[in-house]
Amino acid sequence: MKQMRIKGRNILKGTIKISGAKNSAVALIPASILSDDIVTIDNVPNISDISALNEILEFLGAKVKLENGLMTIDTKSIQNKNIPKEISNKLRASYYFMSALLGKYKHVEMYFPGGCKIGARPIDQTLKGFETLGAKVKEENNKFTIDAEELIGGHVYLDMPSVGATINTMLVATKAKGLTIIENAAKEPEIVNVATFLNNMGAKITGAGTSEIRIMGVEKLKGCFTEVIPDRIETGTYVIAGALLGENLKIENIIPEHIESLTLKLTEMGVDMDIQNNYLIINRCEKLKPVNLKTLCYPGFPTDLQQPVTVLLTQCDGISVLEETIYENRFQNIPYLNEMGANIDIIGKKIKVNGPTKLYGAKVVATDLRAGACLILAALIAKGETIVTDIEHVLRGYENIIEKLTNVGAEISLEEI
Ligand code: EPU
């Protein structure tokens, strides 16, 4: 078990370089097995979710090399084997192997994926995509056996623009015969990253990034090179840190368009930022205006920044209301923020944040990845020392978080307990 110890109230100045996006990399890696050759992916973040996917790749027989973010995957000796529950359970993205193996071998056996416990997170839309393309799905005790005599393109209408279902359907459709159309597709930048990767391998995908994606199936996919886009959620987390404590804090290797829903809200609050092509410079703001926020699919305000931004709302001068529309259980950070001195009421799907409040160090628990990020931000502005336990959740998604924050002036350390 690991915990983080943080001494609060240090000013943050210097530069933070953003890593490759977790939610892109975790899809690109399973997608690589659709290729019949060697693929190279650059800017892969060094986080534990990637180690779990590497474990799956190696279990399947792929040869994997990862050095300084450059990952080479040789899939020539891969075999279609049943991925053990203990490995697939480690993360949500393990189910991208479900679609990649189904696309490649027309048969897959796999357990329900893992992931942060932030809501029900069913996979019905993914299974609907598989079935529309001709697969038969059997489920017993959370184990899925999926077979297709032939995969044939079809018209998939998603009930909600699910990121996972869009990527899973895209992966299978790439190897299906004929045209697949995904309607009400998710538009997240990670989907564009995956589609570009598949196209580099020889797939024929158009419309990624819009709500209608068209995929003309191909028989073979070749090797290729691709790069993981910068992590917009990591960017947003450090931008929020900058709004709280920054003194000309530079955040570089970013795509500003991907975090516009956040930066526009910050401007509404009165935060001072200089946004350039691939970096921004941010300063802390003494008097923040309260705002209302609602999480939505991209390009709306991302649910993954909902917990981190709550810390900023505790510093606004007045009442802010935030509504979470994607997950039912993403307020597990709130009792801990209140223990630290915040004044937040949970009212169904909404929270009412009464600001401004001073925060004080406490012993708190990272119940999930973004709750952990939220508590780290709270600790950075709190008076005294905070201990965040269960920090493994955070290490799943934030590369070198200790070094990145220490380098800009934070006092933060990782302890084994
Ligand atoms: N949903 C269904 N049925 C489905 C699929 C989704 O009802 O078959 C519902 C979910 O329960 C949820 C909503 O649709 O209420 C959105 O789910 P989506 O499928 O879009 O989420 P996901 O693919 O499971 C990815 C990210 C999450 C991020 C969401 C939304 C990965 C590995 N995970 O999850 O990231 O919150 O999209 O943007 O890409 C995180 O990084 O902390 C994280 C949780």
Side-chain angles (χ1 to χ4, degrees), residues 22-24 26-27 49 91-96 114-116 118-128 158-168 186 188 190-191 231-233 296-298 302-305 307 324-328 330 368-371 396-398:
K22 165 179 95 73
N23 289 345
S24 263
V26 297
D49 266 10
L91 75 170
R92 176 78 172 171
S94 59
Y95 76 160
Y96 293 138
C116 286
I118 48 180
R121 310 188 81 182
I123 64 168
D124 54 297
Q125 299 303 301
T126 282
L127 300 178
K128 180 165 93 173
L158 298 179
D159 294 350
M160 76 286 294
S162 152
V163 172
T166 302
I167 294 178
N168 275 323
E188 271 69 359
E190 292 76 20
I191 287 161
D231 195 312
R232 64 196 165 94
I233 307 301
L296 288 168
C297 304
Y298 188 84
T303 171
D304 296 342
L305 283 177
Q307 291 158 307
E324 169 61 61
T325 72
I326 312 290
Y327 295 113
E328 315 86 68
R330 223 173 193 184
D368 55 79
L369 168 58
R370 309 300 172 188
R396 283 185 44 208
Y398 287 88

Side-chain angles (χ1 to χ4, degrees), residues 268-284:
E268 232 180 89
M269 288 178 180
V271 177
D272 163 37
M273 277 167 297
D274 172 18
I275 305 176
Q276 298 295 330
N277 264 349
N278 64 349
Y279 71 89
L280 66 76
I281 292 172
I282 186 163
N283 282 293
R284 71 185 183 282

